Amino acid sequence: MAQARSNGKTDVNDVTAQIDTIKNDIAALTALMSDLAQDKKEEAKERAANTAASLKSSAAQKVDAAHAKAVETGERVRTDAEAAYYKAEETVRQQPAMAVGIAAGIGFLVGMMATRRS
């Protein structure tokens, strides 16, 4: 501890003044650290909010893209199914005897499988 000497004697007032100065410095440092911590907390909070907003926006864009792709795929499947239906209908109109024979054969096979016992 620092001691002020005056003619070989310790001056108590100087020591008390130095202690008060140190206490004030510590209080000022504590306040400064508190302010710094508060600033860092606010920065971290803002950064987290920005990151969350960015992730939310990115997720929304991906959901929109997935929805658009699903709609597009659904339309393509519907178009392909309609084309297959019309092709099958046209084939049945051109060869009705063969269509009846195929239907009878499939019905017979399904009946056999349904009545078969293991």
Side-chain angles (χ1 to χ4, degrees):
M1 184 179 299
Q3 294 180 352
R5 294 195 177 249
S6 169
N7 294 331
K9 294 185 180 178
T10 303
D11 188 8
V12 176
N13 290 333
D14 284 344
V15 173
T16 303
Q18 288 177 358
I19 289 174
D20 288 340
T21 303
I22 290 172
K23 284 182 182 179
N24 291 336
D25 287 347
I26 289 174
L29 284 173
T30 302
L32 181 64
M33 292 300 291
S34 176
D35 291 344
L36 181 63
Q38 185 67 26
D39 289 346
K40 291 297 181 181
K41 175 184 154 190
E42 292 300 322
E43 286 177 18
K45 184 178 177 181
E46 186 176 328
R47 206 170 26 241
N50 289 342
T51 301
S54 174
L55 289 174
K56 183 179 178 182
S57 174
S58 176
Q61 289 174 351
K62 288 182 181 182
V63 166
D64 290 343
H67 181 265
K69 184 146 178 102
V71 167
E72 178 184 324
T73 302
E75 286 294 321
R76 190 173 11 154
V77 167
R78 186 179 62 78
T79 303
D80 290 349
E82 286 176 353
Y85 173 79
Y86 290 126
K87 184 176 180 183
E89 184 178 17
E90 184 63 30
T91 301
V92 168
R93 288 182 191 274
Q94 288 177 357
Q95 299 175 355
M98 185 175 73
V100 170
I102 291 173
I106 290 174
F108 178 74
L109 289 174
V110 169
M112 291 283 289
M113 290 171 58
T115 59
R116 181 194 272 179
R117 297 186 182 173
S118 332

